[in-house]
Amino acid sequence: MGTKGRAIVGMKVERVVELLSKAFADEWLAYYQYWIGTKVIAGPMKDAVIAELMQHATDELRHADMVSNRIIQLGGTPLTTPKKWFEMTNCGYDEPSDPFVRKILEQNIKGEQCAISVYHALIEEVGMKDPVTYNMTVQILQDEVEHEEDLQAMLEDLDMMLERRA
Ligand SMILES: [Fe+2]
Ligand SMILES: [Fe+2]
């Protein structure tokens, strides 16, 4: 299916699928990291941070959906077991073992910075050889840049608050 759509890809389709599968693993792990973060988080500004983390979780799940649809269009199969997430991930998983708001924010900022690097590299490699993947990746990258900005702004607010209290 989608034979012409696949034929216009000017690089090895398997390579595009491999890059997308790795990003797919990242998105699921990012989703879970955000989601579980909202459950365990503790400390000042907790409610505002939870609302932000939940929004990001929703975005990461939407990204997983976008990436999986593209994998299928290219004739691949999205990873069928969570076990593979850990084998394929670029950015890994940061367990929120310390529930303090600041620590959770820092972990997720690190995750977003990794995602930005990964999608940026993907865009560079794929370029106009695969405009459909390129376009999707640019959309996702825009979200990840926004996510980093949101979290860093929250961290700034939190630090200002903590300083004033001290
Ligand atoms: Fe994402
Ligand atoms: Fe993100």
Side-chain angles (χ1 to χ4, degrees):
M1 239 78 73
T3 45
K4 184 67 181 171
R6 230 174 287 162
I8 59 165
V9 177
M11 62 186 282
K12 275 214 161 36
V13 170
E14 297 75 28
R15 175 62 182 155
V16 184
V17 170
E18 187 195 0
L19 289 166
L20 293 177
S21 298
K22 290 173 77 58
F24 179 74
D26 290 335
E27 292 294 355
W28 270 106
L29 291 172
Y31 166 74
Y32 191 73
Q33 194 178 310
Y34 273 122
W35 183 87
I36 196 69
T38 68
K39 305 294 172 191
V40 300
I41 198 165
M45 282 177 56
K46 190 180 96 166
D47 291 336
V49 176
I50 288 176
E52 193 64 45
L53 299 186
M54 212 52 223
Q55 253 182 40
H56 289 199
T58 309
D59 287 340
E60 310 308 2
L61 197 56
R62 185 168 46 79
H63 295 161
D65 190 67
M66 292 162 76
V67 172
S68 67
N69 289 338
R70 184 61 187 146
I71 290 172
I72 290 167
Q73 271 184 359
L74 290 169
T77 307
L79 305 176
T80 47
T81 166
K83 272 187 200 162
K84 296 253 175 172
W85 297 346
F86 283 97
E87 290 166 30
M88 299 292 284
T89 178
N90 302 287
C91 297
Y93 179 78
D94 236 351
E95 184 186 354
S97 36
D98 178 350
F100 186 52
V101 199
R102 193 170 201 291
K103 184 70 193 172
I104 302 266
L105 282 172
E106 275 172 4
Q107 285 177 321
N108 287 315
I109 289 168
K110 206 177 109 218
E112 291 300 338
Q113 290 175 339
C114 180
I116 291 171
S117 304
V118 166
Y119 285 115
H120 185 238
L122 207 155
I123 287 167
E124 298 250 286
E125 184 171 341
V126 169
M128 281 305 141
K129 295 188 282 293
D130 179 356
V132 178
T133 296
Y134 177 93
N135 180 50
M136 178 196 73
T137 310
V138 169
Q139 287 178 46
I140 297 178
L141 179 63
Q142 280 173 345
D143 289 342
E144 310 302 13
V145 166
E146 234 181 83
H147 288 170
E148 184 206 27
E149 167 73 25
D150 294 342
L151 296 178
Q152 283 184 334
M154 291 208 108
L155 190 63
E156 236 178 76
D157 289 353
L158 179 71
D159 282 345
M160 275 175 75
M161 208 183 89
L162 292 172
E163 269 166 38
R164 293 216 170 192
R165 273 193 188 174

